[in-house]
Amino acid sequence: MIYEDFLVLTDDYQCIPYDGSNAVTIYKYIGQSKDVVIPEGIKYLFSGVFSKSDIESIVLPDSLTVISDSVFYGHQNLRKVVFGKNTVRIGYYAFYGCKSLESVTFPEGLEEIGNHAFTNCESLKKVIFPKSLQKIDSSAFSYCSNLECISFLGDDCELDSEIFVSCKNLTNVKLPNHIQHIPRYAFASCHSLKKIEIPASVKEIGYRAFEYCKNLETIVLNEGLESIEFEAFLECTKLKKIAIPDTIESIGNLAFSGCRKLMDVKMPDDVIQFGNGIFKGTKFLKQVLANQDIFSLNGVILHIDCKGKEVLTIPESVKDFSILTFSHTSDIKTLIINDIVITDGKSISQFYKLTKFIYNGIIFITKKSGNTLKSFLALVDENQYQLKVTKDFKYDVILQKFLNDRYCTEKELIDFIKSNCMDILKWILEVNHDIIHFNKADAFDKLLPYENALEKTLDNLIMTANQLGEYEIQLKLAEYVAKKYPRTIEETIKKKFRL
């Protein structure tokens, strides 16, 4: 053993000096008692000190200021812990899985509780946090399934994510008066929680902070709150009313989605930013749509009911398509969007029975395979372009995706142009460009490294033009081929169309 030269043996402990001082560290507990009292003077406990014992209670000395990470991990018979009065920090996973631990009394002076410190302490029913506590790390009390009451004696404490997630019997919560943020998943799936008051100091309620609190009936939001994040109150199915304070600036996607009984909503007049689907699946939204097909707040359109419509033109007042939600989208066959920036193809993909999609004047005809629409959605989702589409959209984006020398193979190029001949030609016809100077990117010149591919794929383009009767376009394509390859225009035309 590395400590063999200075190992100190007692009846119950194997000890080593602590940092070269007179104090000692307990390296291993070798006693028989299940009720352990750690003697004064001990400064540190090794994380595996009780690994081969089955202790039921522990009294910690005042000399022990830090409870080591994982020191009591998985001790399922540990029922009682008495902390020393000088305890400052409880380490990561310190009491994780101590399923018989019924209560803890934290000393004044405790400053931090580490992540997962009391996770899965299933018998723990009540926790009171001292005034001195400054921080609780992530998941510190998660899955304490019988925890009923938590209270903070102090006014300020930094709370990390998931601290009380799935505490299914939690009913009584008193939060610190000066905290500014309710973190993500903080009280998610606390099924017995019926009421929560958010202190006036809180500026933000985090992502899914109260999701699936299925018995939550009352939420008190005070002036000072600025942001309610994505799905903050998702599926709080017993919530019937909510009053949003005047200080709110943004409400995230699906913030109150699935709150089926939510009927009474008070909203200030000057919310700056809305997410999509904030009241999806609520009685409030259904009541609005019973009398009209468009739901808006503060002049911002948030939802459109498409029932009975085959053609949907998105109103010009919509500037951000991503915040829109829709119902009865299966009725829509043609979708028309103009002058809107689209950053997320998922918002369009819900129109799964489209046969025609017109985007800023560019027509996408969907086939059985949906290739054209899928290609558009992929371009938005995979490349995360902020597409303010112009008439040059098709090649501006397609060439960036498919014609980059670093990853576009000749076969990929051939297959792509072959499968998009009709769309490419329609685009050419609509914008009426000179084929040799398509756009600012000079699209065809980008194809020059792929001369073999060009010769094969231009055949498809020319033949398609011929089939459509677009002889002018057909001639321009032939001229282009003749210019780039050592053949005369006449030879090219004769070869392509067997004249």
Side-chain angles (χ1 to χ4, degrees):
M1 180 186 296
I2 190 170
Y3 302 111
E4 187 173 358
D5 292 340
F6 47 91
L7 188 64
V8 180
L9 295 177
T10 68
D11 291 340
D12 293 323
Y13 309 104
Q14 292 179 344
C15 305
I16 58 174
Y18 178 81
D19 287 345
S21 66
N22 291 328
V24 294
T25 293
I26 293 181
Y27 173 72
K28 191 174 183 179
Y29 177 66
I30 54 176
Q32 300 300 313
S33 177
K34 294 184 178 182
D35 300 308
V36 178
V37 178
I38 304 295
E40 284 296 334
I42 298 300
K43 285 286 189 178
Y44 188 78
L45 300 176
F46 266 60
S47 60
V49 63
F50 299 104
S51 60
K52 294 185 178 181
S53 60
D54 193 16
I55 61 173
E56 295 180 359
S57 70
I58 183 85
V59 177
L60 301 170
D62 294 342
S63 58
L64 190 68
T65 57
V66 176
I67 310 301
S68 311
D69 298 346
S70 305
V71 66
F72 299 104
Y73 184 104
H75 283 271
Q76 297 191 20
N77 292 321
L78 182 64
R79 295 179 291 98
K80 181 181 178 181
V81 175
V82 178
F83 293 96
K85 65 181 181 181
N86 296 320
T87 304
V88 175
R89 180 180 184 275
I90 298 173
Y92 302 159
Y93 294 87
F95 295 91
Y96 183 102
C98 293
K99 295 185 177 183
S100 300
L101 187 62
E102 297 174 353
S103 66
V104 290
T105 301
F106 296 123
E108 189 61 48
L110 180 67
E111 297 178 359
E112 182 179 357
I113 299 174
N115 68 55
H116 294 279
F118 293 90
T119 294
N120 280 325
C121 290
E122 296 177 354
S123 299
L124 197 60
K125 292 185 176 181
K126 182 178 180 180
V127 177
I128 299 175
F129 299 105
K131 289 182 180 180
S132 58
L133 190 64
Q134 299 176 13
K135 184 178 182 182
I136 303 178
D137 289 332
S138 64
S139 304
F141 293 86
S142 60
Y143 299 94
C144 292
S145 55
N146 284 298
L147 184 63
E148 297 174 357
C149 177
I150 60 169
S151 180
F152 290 81
L153 299 180
D155 288 333
D156 197 9
C157 181
E158 181 184 346
L159 307 180
D160 208 339
S161 63
E162 305 178 42
I163 45 176
F164 300 107
V165 67
S166 288
C167 292
K168 296 182 179 181
N169 280 321
L170 186 62
T171 56
N172 193 339
V173 175
K174 182 184 181 298
L175 292 169
N177 291 326
H178 294 164
I179 60 169
Q180 295 193 357
H181 173 67
I182 306 294
R184 63 189 179 93
Y185 294 103
F187 296 92
S189 297
C190 290
H191 294 164
S192 299
L193 190 64
K194 293 184 177 181
K195 179 179 178 180
I196 188 72
E197 180 171 359
I198 306 300
S201 58
V202 172
K203 304 294 184 186
E204 178 183 85
I205 298 175
Y207 169 66
R208 295 186 170 183
F210 294 91
E211 72 164 359
Y212 300 116
C213 291
K214 62 184 182 181
N215 285 299
L216 187 60
E217 298 175 351
T218 304
I219 302 169
V220 180
L221 304 177
N222 286 297
E223 295 296 323
L225 182 65
E226 296 175 357
S227 174
I228 299 173
E229 294 298 301
F230 178 60
E231 297 183 345
F233 296 96
L234 177 73
E235 296 286 344
C236 292
T237 53
K238 289 195 176 179
L239 183 67
K240 294 181 180 179
K241 62 180 181 179
I242 190 72
I244 308 294
D246 291 338
T247 51
I248 201 75
E249 296 179 359
S250 67
I251 301 176
N253 297 349
L254 304 169
F256 296 93
S257 175
C259 298
R260 299 177 187 81
K261 295 185 178 181
L262 182 60
M263 185 77 164
D264 184 356
V265 176
K266 294 181 180 180
M267 181 74 67
D269 295 331
D270 53 358
V271 179
I272 296 173
Q273 184 177 352
F274 291 106
N276 71 61
I278 55 176
F279 295 112
K280 183 178 179 181
T282 65
K283 282 188 175 181
F284 172 65
L285 180 58
K286 290 177 182 178
Q287 182 186 40
V288 172
L289 295 176
N291 302 310
Q292 59 196 54
D293 58 7
I294 291 180
F295 167 61
S296 62
L297 287 174
N298 303 345
V300 179
I301 296 176
L302 298 176
H303 185 91
I304 299 176
D305 185 2
C306 306
K307 189 174 184 179
K309 299 178 182 178
E310 291 193 359
V311 178
L312 175 63
T313 301
I314 302 300
E316 292 184 2
S317 60
V318 174
K319 300 303 178 187
D320 183 359
F321 192 82
S322 67
I323 70 171
L324 278 178
T325 55
F326 303 88
S327 50
H328 300 103
T329 55
S330 61
D331 293 352
I332 300 298
K333 303 297 186 292
T334 300
L335 177 64
I336 304 171
I337 303 176
N338 293 302
D339 299 321
I340 300 174
V341 173
I342 293 181
T343 58
D344 180 8
K346 292 178 182 177
S347 54
I348 301 170
S349 62
Q350 59 191 299
F351 295 92
Y352 57 93
K353 289 192 176 181
L354 279 184
T355 56
K356 183 185 289 186
F357 173 41
I358 303 174
Y359 189 43
N360 285 9
I362 299 172
I363 301 174
F364 295 81
I365 305 295
T366 64
K367 305 168 186 177
K368 285 185 178 179
S369 61
N371 283 339
T372 52
L373 185 58
K374 286 181 180 178
S375 296
F376 174 80
L377 300 180
L379 288 169
V380 177
D381 287 336
E382 291 177 18
N383 291 284
Q384 298 179 347
Y385 283 106
Q386 195 168 31
L387 299 177
K388 182 134 185 170
V389 174
T390 65
K391 290 292 186 180
D392 290 329
F393 157 73
K394 193 79 176 175
Y395 272 104
D396 286 346
V397 180
I398 284 174
L399 287 173
Q400 287 183 58
K401 180 174 176 60
F402 291 97
L403 306 183
N404 186 320
D405 288 347
R406 287 173 295 178
Y407 60 81
C408 181
T409 67
E410 183 176 297
K411 184 179 184 303
E412 289 172 334
L413 180 62
I414 293 171
D415 291 343
F416 173 71
I417 295 181
K418 280 182 178 180
S419 63
N420 288 273
C421 282
M422 189 71 75
D423 286 328
I424 292 171
L425 281 170
K426 285 183 177 179
W427 179 81
I428 294 168
L429 293 170
E430 284 178 17
V431 300
N432 198 25
H433 279 292
D434 179 344
I435 199 72
I436 300 177
H437 302 290
F438 258 22
N439 51 34
K440 295 176 182 178
D442 201 5
F444 266 72
D445 283 345
K446 283 194 173 185
L447 296 172
L448 287 180
Y450 303 93
E451 289 188 3
N452 293 333
L454 255 184
E455 192 165 7
K456 296 173 184 176
T457 53
L458 282 172
D459 288 354
N460 292 94
L461 289 175
I462 293 171
M463 290 301 293
T464 304
N466 182 256
Q467 291 167 7
L468 291 173
E470 298 294 344
Y471 302 114
E472 184 179 351
I473 293 295
Q474 164 191 320
L475 182 60
K476 286 183 178 180
L477 285 165
E479 288 175 346
Y480 182 82
V481 173
K483 180 178 178 181
K484 295 296 182 182
Y485 299 97
R487 287 200 295 261
T488 64
I489 293 176
E490 291 80 6
E491 288 173 342
T492 299
I493 293 174
K494 286 179 181 178
K495 181 176 180 180
K496 299 304 178 190
F497 302 107
R498 300 181 177 88
L499 300 178

Coordinates of all heavy atoms in Angstrom, one line a residue, residues 65 89 117 120 131 164 167 308-309 332 392 401 424 447 467 472 484:
T65 N -14.8 19.5 7.5 CA -15.5 20.6 6.8 C -16.1 20.2 5.4 O -17.0 20.9 5.0 CB -14.5 21.7 6.6 OG1 -13.4 21.3 5.9 CG2 -14.0 22.3 8.0
R89 N -19.2 22.0 2.7 CA -19.5 21.5 1.4 C -19.9 20.0 1.6 O -19.2 19.2 2.2 CB -18.4 21.7 0.4 CG -18.8 21.2 -1.0 CD -17.6 21.4 -2.0 NE -18.0 21.0 -3.3 CZ -17.9 19.7 -3.7 NH1 -17.4 18.8 -2.9 NH2 -18.2 19.4 -5.0
A117 N -26.0 14.8 -4.9 CA -25.6 14.4 -3.5 C -26.6 13.6 -2.8 O -26.2 12.7 -2.0 CB -25.3 15.7 -2.7
N120 N -32.0 9.8 -5.3 CA -32.6 8.5 -5.0 C -32.6 8.2 -3.5 O -32.5 7.0 -3.1 CB -31.8 7.4 -5.8 CG -32.3 7.3 -7.2 OD1 -33.5 7.5 -7.5 ND2 -31.4 7.0 -8.1
K131 N -29.5 29.4 6.0 CA -29.3 30.7 5.4 C -28.0 30.8 4.7 O -27.8 31.5 3.7 CB -29.4 31.8 6.5 CG -30.7 32.1 7.1 CD -30.6 33.2 8.1 CE -32.0 33.5 8.8 NZ -31.9 34.5 9.8
F164 N -34.8 19.1 -8.3 CA -35.9 18.3 -7.7 C -36.7 17.5 -8.7 O -37.9 17.2 -8.4 CB -36.8 19.3 -6.9 CG -36.1 20.0 -5.8 CD1 -35.8 21.4 -5.9 CD2 -35.7 19.4 -4.6 CE1 -35.1 22.1 -4.9 CE2 -35.0 20.1 -3.6 CZ -34.7 21.4 -3.8
C167 N -39.5 14.4 -8.0 CA -39.8 14.3 -6.6 C -41.3 14.2 -6.5 O -42.0 15.2 -6.3 CB -39.3 15.4 -5.8 SG -37.5 15.5 -5.6
G308 N -60.8 22.7 -43.9 CA -61.6 23.0 -45.1 C -60.9 23.7 -46.2 O -61.5 24.1 -47.2
K309 N -59.6 24.0 -46.0 CA -58.9 24.8 -47.0 C -58.0 23.9 -47.8 O -57.3 23.0 -47.2 CB -58.1 25.9 -46.4 CG -58.9 26.9 -45.6 CD -57.9 27.9 -44.9 CE -58.7 28.9 -44.1 NZ -57.9 29.9 -43.4
I332 N -54.5 20.8 -46.6 CA -53.8 21.8 -47.5 C -53.1 21.0 -48.6 O -52.3 20.1 -48.3 CB -52.8 22.6 -46.7 CG1 -53.6 23.5 -45.7 CG2 -52.1 23.6 -47.6 CD1 -54.6 24.4 -46.2
D392 N -33.0 33.9 -57.3 CA -31.8 33.1 -57.6 C -31.7 32.0 -56.5 O -30.7 31.3 -56.5 CB -30.5 33.9 -57.5 CG -30.4 34.8 -58.7 OD1 -30.9 34.5 -59.8 OD2 -29.8 35.9 -58.6
K401 N -24.6 23.5 -51.7 CA -24.7 22.2 -51.0 C -24.1 21.0 -51.9 O -23.4 20.2 -51.4 CB -26.2 21.8 -50.8 CG -26.4 20.5 -50.1 CD -27.8 20.3 -49.7 CE -28.1 18.9 -49.1 NZ -27.3 18.7 -47.9
I424 N -35.0 22.6 -62.4 CA -34.0 23.5 -62.9 C -34.5 24.3 -64.1 O -34.4 25.5 -64.2 CB -32.7 22.8 -63.2 CG1 -32.1 22.2 -61.9 CG2 -31.7 23.6 -64.0 CD1 -30.9 21.3 -62.1
L447 N -19.5 24.4 -62.3 CA -19.6 23.0 -62.7 C -18.4 22.5 -63.5 O -18.2 21.4 -63.9 CB -20.8 22.7 -63.5 CG -22.2 22.9 -62.8 CD1 -23.3 22.8 -63.8 CD2 -22.3 21.9 -61.7
Q467 N -38.7 18.3 -74.7 CA -40.0 17.7 -74.4 C -41.0 18.7 -74.0 O -42.2 18.6 -74.2 CB -39.8 16.6 -73.3 CG -39.0 15.4 -73.7 CD -38.6 14.5 -72.5 OE1 -39.0 14.8 -71.4 NE2 -37.8 13.5 -72.8
E472 N -36.1 27.7 -77.3 CA -35.2 28.8 -77.0 C -34.2 28.4 -75.9 O -33.0 28.6 -76.1 CB -35.9 30.1 -76.7 CG -35.0 31.2 -76.5 CD -35.7 32.5 -76.2 OE1 -36.9 32.5 -76.2 OE2 -35.0 33.5 -75.8
K484 N -18.3 25.5 -74.3 CA -17.4 24.9 -73.4 C -16.7 23.6 -73.9 O -15.7 23.2 -73.3 CB -18.2 24.5 -72.1 CG -18.8 25.7 -71.3 CD -17.7 26.6 -70.8 CE -18.3 27.7 -70.0 NZ -17.2 28.6 -69.4

